[in-house]
Amino acid sequence: NCGAGAANGEPPNYSAFVAKMLAPIHETLPYYAIDVGANDGTWSVKFVFVAANAWSSAQDAWFESVMARPTTYTFVVRHEPATANTAPGVAPSQAIMERHPYTLAIVGHSHTYRHDAVNPREVVLGNGGAPLSSKDYGFGVFSQRADGAIAVDMLDWQTGRADAAFHFAVQADGTTAP
């Protein structure tokens, strides 16, 4: 648990993350949002990156404010799923999410991929690199359908084929799409 004022402060791996991953995108904090919109204004999206391992009162206030901004789609990206209890920011960020509309939470931590009824507005995509507990290496693909729903597929990194058992779609508000 790191970052300014956190229990572990700013160890070398945190500083390296800030320098190598955040500086190129002109971010100085491990939490940030990126806004995207259709050229014709028909939809808007915000990608909200939460740093649950660097949770602070400042991030809490920022996250509440960002989640309150209206957009057509909201994707929250957080390392840990809602069921994880090791990072200090998981429970408070989840509580904020429940107070605001969002499309989907994209999380990792577990070295697998899944989408289930326990938390239907969360997708675990943790099979990108570390030793796997199950499944194959791969990546998720999100696409906007003609009806506005977001389709999610998991592709095998070697074959590029989608896992037919994994495909699902959600409406902008996170409800299941037909």
Side-chain angles (χ1 to χ4, degrees):
N1 297 317
C2 51
N8 298 111
E10 296 185 24
N13 64 342
Y14 176 83
S15 298
F17 171 77
V18 171
K20 300 279 187 187
M21 301 296 287
L22 299 179
I25 61 170
H26 308 290
E27 295 294 339
T28 58
L29 297 171
Y31 55 91
Y32 55 95
I34 297 173
D35 296 309
V36 179
N39 288 336
D40 63 4
T42 55
W43 55 265
S44 60
V45 62
K46 65 180 176 254
F47 296 92
V48 186
F49 295 82
V50 174
N53 283 305
W55 195 255
S56 65
S57 58
Q59 185 176 177
D60 188 283
W62 168 85
F63 189 45
E64 185 76 50
S65 172
V66 169
M67 290 299 289
R69 283 193 290 115
T71 53
T72 310
Y73 304 97
T74 297
F75 296 96
V76 177
V77 181
R78 182 180 63 207
H79 178 75
E80 300 85 357
T83 56
N85 60 7
T86 55
V90 172
S93 63
Q94 193 67 33
I96 292 169
M97 290 164 61
E98 296 306 322
R99 291 195 294 269
H100 298 281
Y102 68 98
T103 308
L104 209 55
I106 304 167
V107 303
H109 191 65
S110 301
H111 296 249
T112 188
Y113 59 89
R114 73 175 179 273
H115 175 253
D116 54 42
V118 173
N119 192 349
R121 289 172 57 191
E122 179 177 271
V123 59
V124 175
L125 299 177
N127 62 325
L132 297 170
S133 58
S134 64
K135 314 272 188 191
D136 290 327
Y137 291 110
F139 53 93
V141 175
F142 297 72
S143 53
Q144 184 185 40
R145 299 187 327 197
D147 67 356
I150 302 297
V152 183
D153 288 290
M154 178 55 65
L155 303 186
D156 181 279
W157 74 281
Q158 287 183 311
T159 66
R161 282 182 276 194
D163 178 346
F166 182 81
H167 177 83
F168 70 96
V170 294
Q171 303 290 356
D173 66 0
T175 57
T176 302

